[in-house]
Amino acid sequence: MTTFLWVIVVLIGISLLGFLYRLVKGPTTPDRVIALDAIGVGIISLIGLISILFDTGYFLDVILLLAILSFIGTVAFSKFTEKGVIIQRDRNS
């Protein structure tokens, strides 16, 4: 079982390299946003697998923090891509 988990860790590492390539060379901004979100998910799964391999629960807080930051980052980039601003202020009120 441990060998299987290490193989998955290597495969996720390879996929992270592919996502990094897409992040740098992405032809459009939405491709880069999706690559950034996929990198966040990949890192979260990688830390989860390492937590299982080392039989520790100390990384669970890190996973939760990365998930929150990844979600906020993806929402912010998506909103910036769609509307050009992240926070809109109503100047009329």
Side-chain angles (χ1 to χ4, degrees), residues 31-44:
D31 289 336
R32 291 183 173 133
V33 171
I34 291 172
L36 189 65
D37 188 42
I39 287 172
V41 171
I43 289 173
I44 290 168

Side-chain angles (χ1 to χ4, degrees), residues 23 28-38 73-75 77-78 81:
L23 182 67
T28 63
T29 303
D31 289 336
R32 291 183 173 133
V33 171
I34 291 172
L36 189 65
D37 188 42
T74 302
V75 169
F77 276 122
S78 299
T81 301

Side-chain angles (χ1 to χ4, degrees), residues 2-85:
T2 304
T3 305
F4 178 70
L5 291 176
W6 279 111
V7 169
I8 292 174
V9 166
V10 170
L11 290 175
I12 290 174
I14 292 170
S15 69
L16 285 176
L17 291 175
F19 293 142
L20 280 175
Y21 176 77
R22 181 56 59 195
L23 182 67
V24 173
K25 299 289 278 185
T28 63
T29 303
D31 289 336
R32 291 183 173 133
V33 171
I34 291 172
L36 189 65
D37 188 42
I39 287 172
V41 171
I43 289 173
I44 290 168
S45 61
L46 198 64
I47 292 174
L49 285 172
I50 289 173
S51 177
I52 291 171
L53 284 170
F54 292 144
D55 196 23
T56 181
Y58 293 121
F59 296 125
L60 296 179
D61 294 334
V62 175
I63 291 172
L64 182 63
L65 182 65
L66 282 176
I68 291 169
L69 289 176
S70 176
F71 175 74
I72 291 172
T74 302
V75 169
F77 276 122
S78 299
K79 190 169 180 180
F80 182 76
T81 301
E82 182 180 340
K83 297 183 178 179
V85 294

